Amino acid sequence: MILRGKGFLSALAVAFVCLGAAAIPQQNTDKGDIANQGTLGHDAPAANRLSAEDAAARAHRLGWFKDAKFGMFIHWGLYSQLAGEYNGQLSSDAHIMLRLKIPLKEYAQVAKEFNPTKFDGEAWAQLAQDAGMKYVVITTKHHDGFAMFDSPSNDYNIVKQTPWGNDPLKELSAACHKRGIKFCVYYSLGRDWADPDVPTRDGWRSNTWDYPDETKKEFSRYFERKVKPQIRELLTQYGDVGMVWFDTPEKISLEQSKELVALIHSLQPNCIINARVGHGLGDYATPEQQIPNEVIHEPWETCMTINAMWGYVKRDDKFKAPEQLLFNLVDIASKGGNYLLNVGPTGEGIVPQPEQDRLHYIGTWLHQNAEAIYGAGPTPFGAELGRINPEKKDRSGKPGFTVAREWRATTKPGKLFLTVFQWPQDGELVIPALKNEVKGVHRLADERKTLAFDSAADGIHLHLGSAPDAKGYPTVVAVDVDGTPTAQ
Ligand code: FHN
């Protein structure tokens, strides 16, 4: 169930997901993580703290991001090899080392079995392209501290520790660049269970079983020894990096967050940084596992699992319906955001088939209706998104929100795109009035087939006719107007 808070910020502050049944352990989505989700970053985006020059640079960096709308998140690490089980104990995905308090020496042995001979960076990039995903964000180092790339500054990495001995980022970055897909890197900033100097805000997310005394941990030693050298490696070894996607800033200081932003921009000035770099810095907010229920005019991105867990867990069969995932994409685009949808490849390097199938389903529709999504602006309306529902309360006790699912709107100069999920029984769709003159209406897939419409006191009546045989896909109706569509 994806919860939707009343307002974006309140949703960010309290958003969480009730994931699957007891069989699949809860994601660590309590408030502690929520605080890392760029609430500050969203609340005080760089734009209102930056000089005019820096704001212009940020707007330039975000150009491709705001048009992209859809990206692939990849959670892949040693935990993928464990697949949610260790020594007969069922557990979590990327958090298995923490949940089971696996000693670092033992966990490091997993690397000796990690041999992803079926990894194919070209296939992963092609899957992203087929799905219509314009950027790929891969976990280069998750909380377990293991680098999934060639890290000369730290031997605890895939090249040095595994029998496979390759650097997957080399192949994946090249395959992305070849396809015009932005290659982006995820980096766990404030959690690292392989380093003795990484305390966390509430302690329980640290490695307290190998390094029990939190008071002895000095974040700045980890920051100098591991974070800065590895960020430098990531930004100098793989060509153009579209974005550094930081996670869990935890106990980083404002000065250190600023230092990271400066380091990244000194190496790749156009590299975007998400708000989880900490302290309200960064270029955009990253709500997790939840979609705001209103239009947000600042850049933002919802990151979400395709099933229940981020990393591969063999027993995790809680895959979201393809139709739900496509609705989420259009819903998010209609609110001005991007959808970063996650895949969790196996220890062998294979993206599970149910995940591939869902991405191909979305890509089939997206390639046919690209004009309505890529580079489009948010809905000029809002009532179509749903309504506050006092009978329903969200987890923070605030009035709930009932999502309406009939249609969504996106815009471009001269065009209003209506993605119709529930075809009106009588074939007539009434949309709110526009300030613009309506010049014509047609299905996006068939410009020649014009549709009748008339304006009335309650809005614009579109006579769509009988439901198309859209094979389970929503149909896009294009409304030609003069100028940018604006609600009356
Ligand atoms: O703990 C991680 C989690 O495993 C996953 O990587 C998500 C993705 O945004 N970030 C943290 C939870 O907020």
Side-chain angles (χ1 to χ4, degrees):
M1 172 175 76
I2 301 284
L3 291 180
R4 297 164 189 272
K6 158 71 187 74
F8 178 57
L9 286 182
S10 57
L12 258 185
V14 297
F16 41 81
V17 162
C18 303
L19 287 173
I24 295 288
Q26 286 287 332
Q27 278 281 303
N28 56 333
T29 56
D30 62 28
K31 291 182 183 56
D33 291 303
I34 302 299
N36 296 330
Q37 290 184 10
T39 309
L40 284 177
H42 179 79
D43 196 28
N48 66 14
R49 293 188 176 177
L50 292 176
S51 65
E53 183 190 350
D54 288 348
R58 172 178 176 257
H60 173 70
R61 283 195 298 274
L62 285 166
W64 70 263
F65 177 80
K66 291 176 80 171
D67 290 345
K69 304 299 179 191
F70 194 29
M72 177 186 275
F73 213 171
I74 302 174
H75 275 68
W76 196 45
L78 293 186
Y79 44 84
S80 311
Q81 179 72 17
L82 299 179
E85 186 171 345
Y86 184 73
N87 284 352
Q89 287 181 279
L90 296 182
S91 181
S92 180
D93 60 346
H95 295 252
I96 191 165
M97 184 180 169
L98 173 76
R99 299 264 186 233
L100 299 181
K101 295 193 174 358
I102 303 172
L104 178 56
K105 278 197 172 52
E106 256 185 59
Y107 185 84
Q109 291 312 303
V110 178
K112 304 307 173 206
E113 305 148 30
F114 193 74
N115 190 19
T117 51
K118 293 179 182 169
F119 166 78
D120 179 346
E122 287 286 333
W124 287 13
Q126 190 56 48
L127 176 61
Q129 186 173 44
D130 293 346
M133 295 165 143
K134 298 298 184 183
Y135 59 111
V136 167
V137 182
I138 185 166
T139 50
T140 65
K141 181 200 71 123
H142 204 267
H143 308 334
D144 61 3
F146 186 77
M148 293 295 282
F149 64 98
D150 182 12
S151 176
S153 64
N154 190 299
D155 281 353
Y156 193 48
N157 70 67
I158 192 169
V159 172
K160 284 279 177 39
Q161 302 299 328
T162 71
W164 191 56
N166 296 318
D167 180 349
L169 300 200
K170 276 271 185 251
E171 186 178 333
L172 182 61
S173 58
C176 286
H177 294 149
K178 188 163 76 174
R179 291 169 175 80
I181 293 173
K182 287 287 184 182
F183 172 73
C184 308
V185 293
Y186 163 110
Y187 191 85
S188 173
L189 184 53
R191 290 178 202 165
D192 186 312
W193 302 322
D195 190 288
D197 279 312
V198 193
T200 54
R201 279 164 308 131
D202 42 17
W204 74 263
R205 290 194 186 84
S206 311
N207 179 341
T208 53
W209 52 99
D210 291 306
Y211 312 115
D213 188 345
E214 286 280 282
T215 62
K216 288 218 176 74
K217 298 175 183 178
E218 184 50 57
F219 188 93
S220 58
R221 286 199 292 259
Y222 155 71
F223 186 69
E224 295 300 327
R225 166 175 62 226
K226 189 165 184 177
V227 175
K228 284 166 61 178
Q230 288 193 324
I231 293 300
R232 185 176 292 278
E233 287 158 3
L234 288 169
L235 290 167
T236 51
Q237 294 175 186
Y238 306 103
D240 179 56
V241 174
M243 180 204 306
V244 178
W245 206 99
F246 285 114
D247 204 1
T248 58
E250 291 285 357
K251 300 196 85 164
I252 193 169
S253 70
L254 171 59
E255 282 320 306
Q256 287 162 339
S257 295
K258 283 180 177 175
E259 192 177 343
L260 270 185
V261 170
L263 170 62
I264 291 165
H265 288 159
S266 71
L267 295 167
Q268 297 214 22
N270 291 325
C271 184
I272 293 172
I273 304 166
N274 74 342
R276 298 190 195 186
V277 64
H279 297 286
L281 302 178
D283 296 316
Y284 75 91
T286 58
E288 176 165 323
Q289 302 281 40
Q290 53 97 26
I291 299 169
N293 54 45
E294 56 200 358
V295 174
I296 306 288
H297 292 285
E298 271 295 294
W300 61 277
E301 167 199 82
T302 280
C303 59
M304 192 182 286
T305 54
I306 202 166
N307 44 3
M309 311 299 280
W310 296 100
Y312 177 64
V313 170
K314 192 173 179 184
R315 68 185 189 282
D316 179 2
D317 59 0
K318 305 227 171 306
F319 295 98
K320 297 173 179 73
E323 297 79 4
Q324 175 66 53
L325 296 168
L326 178 55
F327 176 82
N328 289 349
L329 170 63
V330 181
D331 182 35
I332 288 167
S334 81
K335 296 166 181 173
N338 285 13
Y339 193 27
L340 184 64
L341 184 58
N342 184 73
V343 295
T346 65
E348 290 184 310
I350 299 286
V351 175
Q353 195 56 48
E355 300 178 7
Q356 294 193 41
D357 294 345
R358 282 153 177 78
L359 295 189
H360 283 127
Y361 169 87
I362 295 170
T364 301
W365 183 87
L366 202 37
H367 287 294
Q368 288 168 4
N369 299 280
E371 188 185 352
I373 300 296
Y374 298 123
T379 177
F381 311 123
E384 78 278 13
L385 302 176
R387 61 181 178 80
I388 301 290
N389 180 352
E391 295 88 65
K392 268 171 62 177
K393 296 275 185 248
D394 67 19
R395 286 292 226 3
S396 64
K398 288 190 170 61
F401 187 84
T402 298
V403 175
R405 315 178 71 82
E406 291 79 5
W407 55 275
R408 288 291 182 269
T410 50
T411 55
K412 280 183 179 169
K415 286 265 190 203
L416 173 71
F417 300 100
L418 304 170
T419 301
V420 183
F421 292 92
Q422 295 173 10
W423 200 261
Q425 289 286 337
D426 58 2
E428 183 170 288
L429 179 65
V430 182
I431 64 171
L434 289 165
K435 285 183 178 162
N436 316 69
E437 180 205 348
V438 176
K439 296 154 71 175
V441 181
H442 60 85
R443 285 187 199 165
L444 185 61
D446 185 354
E447 274 198 63
R448 293 159 313 194
K449 194 170 170 37
T450 56
L451 301 169
F453 65 93
D454 54 66
S455 296
D458 63 343
I460 304 168
H461 292 237
L462 307 175
H463 305 294
L464 305 183
S466 56
D469 174 16
K471 298 181 179 54
Y473 281 111
T475 298
V476 177
V477 173
V479 181
D480 296 318
V481 297
D482 66 326
T484 298
T486 310
Q488 233 172 36

